[in-house]
Each structure stands twice: as structure tokens, then as C-alpha cells.
């Protein structure tokens, strides 16, 4: 299997639910195909039609990366922006 670390640096996420509107998470797996930590922006109040306007491999009807699916177990319906990094894992 593959393992990685998904983490955030904003301590407010632990104690203030209002901080969960738009926030940043970071992912690092140490795999050869990932030379640097991926910076993800999570938007928990987005709407499905906003995400549908985006283009790319994560468009509706396409398979989602496992990492996005794991994030959505905590924040259902959230949009995940990879900020220029190609989705992987």
C-alpha cells in the first residue's frame, strides 16, 4: 500500500467550526511521483454547480482521486482545489 500525511497548519480548525469555511490542507506521500507537498484549498460551502463549471480530470462524471474522497468523508460536498498540482493518489 501507499501511505501519506494530510495535515493543516491552522490551529483554529481544531476549536472554531467557523474556520471550516475555506481552509488549506497539505498532503505529502514521499512517493517518487510527488516531488513536493501538495497544497489543497478546501471550500465547504461551495455548491455543486460551481464545481461543475471547472474543467479538468476532476470534472463531474470523472473519477475523483482517493484523497478528495477521503477529505469528503469529513466535509461532504466540499470542493477541493489542487492549486495547480495535477491530482494524484
Amino acid at each position: 500500500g501507499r501511505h501519506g500525511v494530510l495535515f493543516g497548519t491552522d490551529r483554529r480548525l481544531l476549536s472554531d467550526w467557523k474556520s471550516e469555511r475555506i481552509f488549506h490542507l497539505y498532503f505529502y506521500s514521499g512517493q517518487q511521483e510527488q516531488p513536493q507537498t501538495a497544497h489543497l484549498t478546501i471550500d465547504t460551502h461551495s455548491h455543486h454547480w460551481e464545481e461543475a463549471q471547472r474543467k479538468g480530470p476532476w470534472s463531474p462524471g470523472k473519477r475523483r482521486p482517493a484523497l478528495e474522497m477521503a477529505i469528503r468523508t469529513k466535509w461532504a460536498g466540499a470542493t477541493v482545489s489542487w492549486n495547480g498540482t495535477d491530482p494524484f493518489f
Side-chain angles (χ1 to χ4, degrees):
R2 296 177 136 194
H3 302 285
V5 177
L6 180 66
F7 63 97
T9 58
D10 187 352
R11 295 179 146 255
R12 292 178 303 157
L13 287 172
L14 298 172
S15 60
D16 183 8
W17 62 269
K18 293 178 216 161
S19 298
E20 292 185 5
R21 167 66 169 92
I22 296 178
F23 57 95
H24 304 279
L25 293 177
Y26 303 88
F27 180 76
Y28 185 72
S29 68
Q31 299 293 322
Q32 184 176 355
E33 61 270 7
Q34 186 189 5
Q36 61 187 13
T37 302
H39 171 214
L40 309 172
T41 301
I42 314 301
D43 183 351
T44 61
H45 288 96
S46 60
H47 300 95
H48 65 87
W49 58 83
E50 292 171 343
E51 186 178 18
Q53 294 174 0
R54 297 182 183 170
K55 296 184 189 224
W58 52 90
S59 296
K62 303 273 183 171
R63 288 184 54 179
R64 305 251 183 215
L67 180 59
E68 283 189 33
M69 299 308 292
I71 290 168
R72 288 188 177 112
T73 63
K74 168 68 175 152
W75 298 284
T79 57
V80 179
S81 170
W82 287 77
N83 297 311
T85 302
D86 288 333
F88 59 88
F89 199 78

